[in-house]
Amino acid sequence: MSKDNKHTQGSPGDFEDKIDSAMAGLEADLDEEFHGADFYDEDDQESDFDSWEGEDDSDAEELAEQDSEEEYPEEEEYDQDEAELSTEEEDFWDEEETESNSEEEDSEDAESADEPETSEKELQVEIIPPYSNKGRKHRRKDSAGAVAPNQPEKQTSKKSARPSPKPAARSARPTKISYVPITDEELDEKIIPVPRKKHKGLKVTGIVAAILAVTAGCAYGAVSYYYADRFFEGTYINGINCSNKTAYETEQLIAGNVEDYSIEVTARNQEPQTISGNQINYRYVSDGEVLDLLKQQKPYEWVKGFMETRSYTTQENVTFDKSLLQSEVKELKCAQAENQVEPENAYVALEGSEFTIVPETEGSKLKVKEAYKALDTAISGSQTSIDLGNTPDVYAVAAVTSDDPTLQATRDAYNNYTKASITYTFGEQTVTLDGSTLKEWLQFDDKGQLVQDDASFTQHIKDFVAQLASEHDTVGTTRSFNTTSGRTVSVYGSAYGWKIDQDAEAAQLTEEIRTGTQTTREPVYSMRANSYGYNDIGSTYIEVDLSSQHMYYYQNGSIIFDSDIVSGDIRYDDRATPPGIFTLYYKKSPDVLRGEKKPDGTYEYETQVTYWMPFNGGIGFHDATWQAYFGGDRYTYAGSHGCINMPLDAAATLYSIIDTNVPIVCFY
């Protein structure tokens, strides 16, 4: 029988359980004794192990018995009394066996560290009770009490199923653990290792930690429950500190603020006035919004309240008497008639040499209905102040403001007036129209506001053009004329000279003023003369002396042609050639001259001429081959119907050199 088998047979069924229970109490003591015990030298251990390993099972049993007899001489006595042990004694020895086994396990750990490497097979540990004879063959005591290895042992035939312990011989020193190689057959056996117990202090720490965790959890849960119907710390609603308050308590605080409500009303040109909540029956009405905010909290997040501040703004649901508010608005100073000032429109004014826009004035005329609407909205929103001056549509506004496009266009147009400068030339004379004159044509009221009157301004332009015509037109005027004969005559010119086209000139001048044009030019003429000045006939002209019945053609002051003539018959008023200054209409060759048309469709006369040159209605130069002679007094009895008759060759010469722009001066 192997050693393991012997050990198994000699152990009780609950041996392992007893070991566990015993080790819990003796672990600390065994550790101290184990570490303080004297062990055999490494050489002795190896030799003992070798001697043990060499013996067979039977020899090992005998040696164990001998060893037991030497160390315990009274063992037989204990064997005889073993049967009489009570149940309590058996339990006691079971505990002793547990202690011994624990000591052997500790000793085995110590010795295993010094053992040389074994084969790949594992070693099987045999647990030997402290009072067993096994292994004691290695321990011999000399007379001094030291262990004497390799001493001969006594043989004994007595065997004991259980060692009989002697209290006096017990020792706390752990017994030596013997290691037996495991055979191939024993590899299949399952070895159940004994679990190592955790230190007692760790268990205590774990228990304490668990208790603390449970306590903390309970406390956290309790606080979370507290905040299930209260606002977290650091919560503000509408500026009110609602920390640790219920929804009802919070609404009571809000209602308290509402009771003290008032609104300050500021108006134009008036001192601020106050309307209190009591005057309009102002009060708070809960709408559940505060409770909704509370429900949004997660109670288990109450810690956040100590780390951050939460501010909310709710719509304070209030109610008030609107009829009372209407009465209060009507009683405001700004609503009184004596405090109403109409707004003034923006306007254009002349400042220095430039036109500018004077902004509109706001005035203080209050629209009471609009003011009530503004106050109603402000009070419904719990506003504590309102400035009616900055509230749209509360006051009457000016009809024309500074940003009005028409007003801006007027300003720009009148600024162009001041920029305009038109200089007229009349030969060596000039006349200038500029802003200094134009500003005099404009009208302004007492405040300097431009009174826009287009009709009046247009009339000023027409008057200016008429003045130019009266000063510089020569048509219709009488001039002094120096004749070839040396006489000075006065000649009226109704069809020759300078004549301004007043309508056309006024239109052009108006456009130039509006656009701010700066120019130098002549007026728009309907008739032009050869030169400027009082004598506008110039040095190129045709002189017809009706008294001497002779004509001259001057070019640049020199006579280039002259001829005798026959003018109208002075015996008849309607045939006499009229005096004056004229110009040639046209010339035609040949042509037929006809008198007035009779009722029967015929003419008084029809005369064929070769050269026809009209200059005054039906009066003109032409050849007259029927005249017996020219010059002298023939016009007094055989004159023409008003035309200037000429010899054929003279008429031909004049026809060839006459120009339409040459003035024709006829005089007596």
Side-chain angles (χ1 to χ4, degrees):
M1 179 182 296
S2 67
K3 294 180 180 182
D4 290 337
N5 290 337
K6 286 180 64 180
H7 177 70
T8 302
Q9 290 178 0
S11 301
D14 58 350
F15 183 69
E16 295 294 333
D17 295 336
K18 291 181 176 292
I19 288 176
D20 291 339
S21 60
M23 285 185 66
L26 301 176
E27 185 175 2
D29 296 335
L30 291 177
D31 287 343
E32 294 178 359
E33 293 179 0
F34 176 75
H35 291 293
D38 295 332
F39 291 91
Y40 295 106
D41 293 338
E42 184 177 353
D43 294 339
D44 293 342
Q45 292 173 0
E46 289 178 357
S47 62
D48 291 344
F49 181 81
D50 292 340
S51 62
W52 174 263
E53 185 176 338
E55 296 179 354
D56 57 9
D57 296 341
S58 61
D59 292 340
E61 293 178 359
E62 292 176 358
L63 289 174
E65 291 176 358
Q66 293 177 2
D67 187 43
S68 176
E69 289 176 358
E70 291 178 359
E71 288 191 11
Y72 303 100
E74 298 177 358
E75 184 178 359
E76 292 179 0
E77 182 179 352
Y78 283 102
D79 291 338
Q80 292 175 0
D81 297 335
E82 184 177 8
E84 299 176 0
L85 290 175
S86 65
T87 304
E88 296 178 355
E89 292 175 340
E90 289 178 356
D91 294 338
F92 172 78
W93 290 117
D94 289 340
E95 293 176 0
E96 292 296 325
E97 288 176 357
T98 302
E99 294 176 1
S100 176
N101 289 337
S102 176
E103 292 176 355
E104 289 181 0
E105 287 176 0
D106 293 341
S107 176
E108 177 182 354
D109 293 339
E111 289 182 357
S112 64
D114 297 332
E115 288 295 328
E117 290 184 7
T118 60
S119 64
E120 294 180 355
K121 296 181 179 181
E122 296 181 355
L123 297 179
Q124 183 173 1
V125 179
E126 180 183 2
I127 302 176
I128 303 175
Y131 299 105
S132 173
N133 290 332
K134 287 186 177 182
R136 297 187 181 275
K137 69 185 181 80
H138 302 286
R139 304 177 61 186
R140 294 289 186 270
K141 295 183 180 180
D142 57 10
S143 59
V147 178
N150 298 329
Q151 294 295 328
E153 301 178 2
K154 293 182 180 182
Q155 301 288 332
T156 179
S157 59
K158 293 182 180 181
K159 297 182 180 179
S160 175
R162 181 187 300 272
S164 299
K166 292 178 65 179
R170 290 177 60 188
S171 174
R173 178 176 301 180
T175 58
K176 183 176 180 65
I177 298 175
S178 298
Y179 295 89
V180 179
I182 301 175
T183 63
D184 294 337
E185 292 81 3
E186 295 173 334
L187 287 176
D188 296 333
E189 297 181 8
K190 182 177 180 181
I191 300 175
I192 301 176
V194 178
R196 299 181 65 85
K197 302 296 182 177
K198 293 184 178 179
H199 197 276
K200 187 176 183 179
L202 295 177
K203 293 183 178 180
V204 173
T205 302
I207 293 173
V208 172
I211 293 174
L212 292 177
V214 172
T215 303
C218 292
Y220 192 91
V223 177
S224 299
Y225 179 78
Y226 174 79
Y227 282 109
D229 62 346
R230 297 175 182 271
F231 285 104
F232 292 160
E233 185 70 28
T235 301
Y236 290 83
I237 299 178
N238 295 349
I240 301 174
N241 188 354
C242 303
S243 302
N244 306 313
K245 298 288 192 300
T246 64
Y248 175 77
E249 293 171 342
T250 300
E251 288 189 333
Q252 291 302 308
L253 293 175
I254 297 175
N257 285 351
V258 168
E259 292 177 357
D260 299 331
Y261 175 79
S262 64
I263 184 169
E264 185 181 70
V265 182
T266 303
R268 292 176 184 171
N269 306 326
Q270 298 295 326
E271 293 294 328
Q273 291 181 267
T274 300
I275 299 176
S276 66
N278 294 332
Q279 292 175 283
I280 56 175
N281 195 19
Y282 185 90
R283 61 187 184 277
Y284 174 78
V285 177
S286 175
D287 61 352
E289 189 173 359
V290 173
L291 182 60
D292 290 340
L293 286 176
L294 180 61
K295 290 180 179 180
Q296 293 176 10
Q297 286 188 168
K298 296 179 175 59
Y300 57 82
E301 294 181 349
W302 58 268
V303 177
K304 291 183 178 180
F306 295 91
M307 296 184 292
E308 62 183 20
T309 299
R310 300 184 180 187
S311 296
Y312 302 97
T313 300
T314 63
Q315 183 69 34
E316 293 181 353
N317 189 26
V318 296
T319 183
F320 57 92
D321 192 326
K322 296 183 182 294
S323 61
L324 292 176
L325 177 61
Q326 292 177 2
S327 300
E328 293 297 327
V329 171
K330 292 178 181 179
E331 295 298 324
L332 292 174
K333 293 180 180 179
C334 59
Q336 306 309 310
E338 61 271 16
N339 297 323
Q340 306 294 307
V341 178
E342 291 284 347
E344 294 183 359
N345 294 335
Y347 60 90
V348 176
L350 181 64
E351 294 183 2
S353 60
E354 185 178 4
F355 288 92
T356 60
I357 294 178
V358 178
E360 68 279 6
T361 57
E362 294 178 331
S364 58
K365 186 175 181 180
L366 186 71
K367 297 180 181 179
V368 179
K369 184 177 181 180
E370 298 299 329
Y372 163 76
K373 291 180 180 179
L375 278 169
D376 179 74
T377 301
I379 295 173
S380 298
S382 300
Q383 292 180 218
T384 57
S385 64
I386 183 174
D387 187 352
L388 296 179
N390 296 331
T391 305
D393 301 329
V394 171
Y395 286 95
V397 297
V400 180
T401 60
S402 58
D403 57 354
D404 183 77
T406 302
L407 189 66
Q408 293 178 351
T410 301
R411 176 200 59 191
D412 297 340
Y414 282 95
N415 274 328
N416 287 334
Y417 295 173
T418 62
K419 295 177 183 178
S421 177
I422 298 93
T423 300
Y424 294 96
T425 60
F426 300 95
E428 295 180 357
Q429 297 181 2
T430 59
V431 175
T432 300
L433 175 65
D434 57 16
S436 59
T437 302
L438 294 172
K439 288 187 291 185
E440 296 176 358
W441 298 353
L442 303 176
Q443 298 181 18
F444 301 91
D445 60 12
D446 296 338
K447 297 187 299 182
Q449 178 178 349
L450 175 66
V451 178
Q452 189 173 359
D453 189 345
D454 292 340
S456 175
F457 189 76
T458 300
Q459 187 60 46
H460 277 287
I461 293 176
K462 290 180 177 181
D463 293 343
F464 175 77
V465 173
Q467 182 66 26
L468 287 178
S470 66
E471 294 176 357
H472 299 280
D473 280 1
T474 58
V475 174
T477 63
T478 300
R479 304 165 184 82
S480 294
F481 179 74
N482 296 322
T483 67
T484 304
S485 62
R487 292 184 304 138
T488 299
V489 296
S490 295
V491 182
Y492 176 80
S494 60
Y496 174 80
W498 299 103
K499 185 176 183 179
I500 297 174
D501 188 341
Q502 296 187 29
D503 291 340
E505 175 58 32
Q508 181 172 339
L509 179 59
T510 299
E511 182 62 24
E512 289 172 343
I513 291 173
R514 294 188 183 278
T515 57
T517 302
Q518 298 179 0
T519 185
T520 299
R521 62 176 179 84
E522 289 182 341
V524 179
Y525 288 110
S526 60
M527 294 181 65
R528 300 181 66 88
N530 284 348
S531 64
Y532 290 99
Y534 181 74
N535 184 10
D536 57 359
I537 296 174
S539 59
T540 299
Y541 56 90
I542 296 173
E543 177 183 335
V544 179
D545 189 343
L546 298 176
S547 297
S548 64
Q549 291 291 290
H550 198 84
M551 65 165 295
Y552 304 91
Y553 194 132
Y554 282 85
Q555 189 174 36
N556 297 326
S558 300
I559 299 174
I560 61 174
F561 169 79
D562 69 288
S563 174
D564 288 333
I565 62 169
V566 174
S567 62
D569 193 338
I570 61 173
R571 295 175 300 173
Y572 307 98
D573 293 336
D574 57 346
R575 293 184 179 183
T577 302
I581 303 172
F582 311 98
T583 56
L584 183 67
Y585 296 159
Y586 63 90
K587 57 185 180 179
K588 184 178 180 182
S589 177
D591 200 0
V592 176
L593 303 180
R594 296 182 177 89
E596 292 183 3
K597 193 174 185 179
K598 297 178 181 180
D600 59 0
T602 62
Y603 295 95
E604 291 182 354
Y605 64 88
E606 291 184 347
T607 305
Q608 181 76 33
V609 297
T610 304
Y611 304 102
W612 170 239
M613 293 164 280
F615 58 82
N616 181 14
I619 300 172
F621 298 106
H622 63 83
D623 57 288
T625 57
W626 59 88
Q627 291 287 359
Y629 65 94
F630 296 91
D633 59 356
R634 187 167 176 80
Y635 76 100
T636 60
Y637 61 89
S640 67
H641 288 79
C643 291
I644 305 299
N645 295 160
M646 299 176 65
L648 180 61
D649 55 348
T653 301
L654 180 62
Y655 188 87
S656 63
I657 63 175
I658 194 170
D659 188 20
T660 56
N661 294 324
V662 175
I664 301 170
V665 181
C666 299
F667 59 90
Y668 286 94

